[in-house]
């Protein structure tokens, strides 16, 4: 049976930090600290993107089974996320989705009410 955790998020300072801390606690028993660090970074990027590019994040959902962690972040914008590769612009920032693509085994998005959900999956080591 998968473990799940849902964290309502508000567009306020500290939301990304709270999401990172909750994710680290949710994965406290994972022996590979590199995987936990990757998961925390992915959560930070998805929540940060929702804060920067929409009217705010709605919620973080973590779903964990024996092999994978699925991270979902809802937001208020129906616009699809558009990844930017590092070589496409000299402007600073804008590489959050590039990191999501590189660190996760799969990612995507789907319409969700008036907004959308952006998700990614990360392989977890065997316990």
């Amino acid at each position: 049976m998968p473990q799940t955790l849902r964290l309502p998020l508000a567009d306020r300072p500290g939301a990304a930090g709270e999401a990172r801390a909750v994710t680290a606690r949710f994965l406290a028993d994972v022996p590979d600290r590199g995987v936990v660090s990757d998961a925390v970074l992915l959560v930070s990027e998805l929540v940060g993107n929702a804060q920067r590019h929409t009217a705010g994040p709605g919620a973080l959902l973590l779903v964990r089974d024996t092999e994978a962690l699925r991270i979902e972040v809802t937001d208020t914008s129906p616009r699809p996320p558009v990844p930017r590769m590092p070589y496409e612009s000299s402007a600073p920032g804008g590489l959050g989705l590039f990191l999501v693509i590189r660190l996760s085994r799969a990612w995507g998005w789907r319409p969700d009410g008036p907004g959308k959900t952006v998700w990614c999956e990360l392989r977890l080591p065997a316990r």
Side-chain angles (χ1 to χ4, degrees):
M1 183 72 131
Q3 295 174 286
T4 63
L5 184 144
R6 185 176 186 282
L7 176 67
L9 297 169
D11 190 21
R12 59 173 170 69
E18 181 182 7
R20 287 190 300 269
V22 163
T23 301
R25 285 193 302 273
F26 188 68
L27 298 174
D29 66 328
V30 173
D32 186 335
R33 302 319 295 164
V35 170
V36 175
S37 294
D38 286 352
V40 169
L41 177 60
L42 293 171
V43 164
S44 187
E45 290 299 333
L46 293 179
V47 172
N49 281 350
Q51 286 181 306
R52 278 187 294 283
H53 302 294
T54 75
L60 166 68
L61 178 67
L62 302 174
V63 180
R64 176 183 175 181
D65 63 23
T66 57
E67 297 178 2
L69 171 70
R70 184 175 179 97
I71 300 165
E72 297 187 1
V73 175
T74 60
D75 66 47
T76 58
S77 172
R79 291 180 310 149
V82 179
R84 188 175 82 188
M85 298 300 122
Y87 51 81
E88 291 178 345
S89 172
S90 60
L95 299 177
L97 283 177
F98 175 75
L99 290 172
V100 170
I101 292 166
R102 297 294 296 171
L103 293 176
S104 63
R105 70 179 187 176
W107 82 280
W109 73 281
R110 66 179 179 275
D112 192 349
K116 68 180 170 299
T117 296
V118 182
W119 61 268
C120 65
E121 292 181 355
L122 188 63
R123 187 175 319 278
L124 292 176
R127 293 187 206 184

